[in-house]
Amino acid sequence: MLFRSLFMSTLNRTPLAFAVAILGGEHITRIIPRGTHQYDRFIKPSELCDWSREAGLRVEDITGIHYNPLERTARTGGHVQVNYLIHASKPA
């Protein structure tokens, strides 16, 4: 089966993402092992969209991903300041 859609998720390169993922996740709550994230490797949505278009893909949607460590749940929607999901497709 050939798929025409691609979904990618990553962390945004913002001060809020640094605070939540690295300070909060790795150092304060320790729910993520230290050293898991490297801030300079976080990707801005504009960069990922540009790279997708350069690869011949059409960006369909960008949405935020929000994790609640207390409930161990995740939801999509809302802002993309920390973690986000991009949907791209290959034109027919």
Side-chain angles (χ1 to χ4, degrees):
M1 175 177 259
L2 184 63
F3 294 97
R4 292 187 127 359
S5 285
L6 174 68
F7 294 89
M8 298 171 274
S9 68
T10 191
L11 289 160
N12 197 346
R13 194 171 57 251
T14 63
L16 182 58
F18 177 85
V20 171
I22 296 175
L23 296 179
E26 294 184 21
H27 296 276
I28 296 171
T29 64
R30 297 183 181 165
I31 60 173
I32 303 167
R34 278 192 176 187
T36 297
H37 299 107
Q38 294 179 355
Y39 182 73
D40 63 333
R41 293 190 178 184
F42 290 9
I43 302 169
K44 291 181 175 269
S46 59
E47 295 169 337
L48 190 52
C49 287
D50 287 346
W51 298 335
S52 297
R53 289 184 193 102
E54 288 171 10
L57 300 173
R58 180 177 54 230
V59 176
E60 303 288 347
D61 191 28
I62 303 170
T63 190
I65 301 174
H66 308 281
Y67 178 67
N68 182 333
L70 300 176
E71 297 178 1
R72 294 185 177 180
T73 59
R75 66 175 178 81
T76 58
H79 71 83
V80 298
Q81 293 298 309
V82 177
N83 199 350
Y84 65 96
L85 178 72
I86 184 172
H87 171 214
S89 64
K90 183 175 179 181

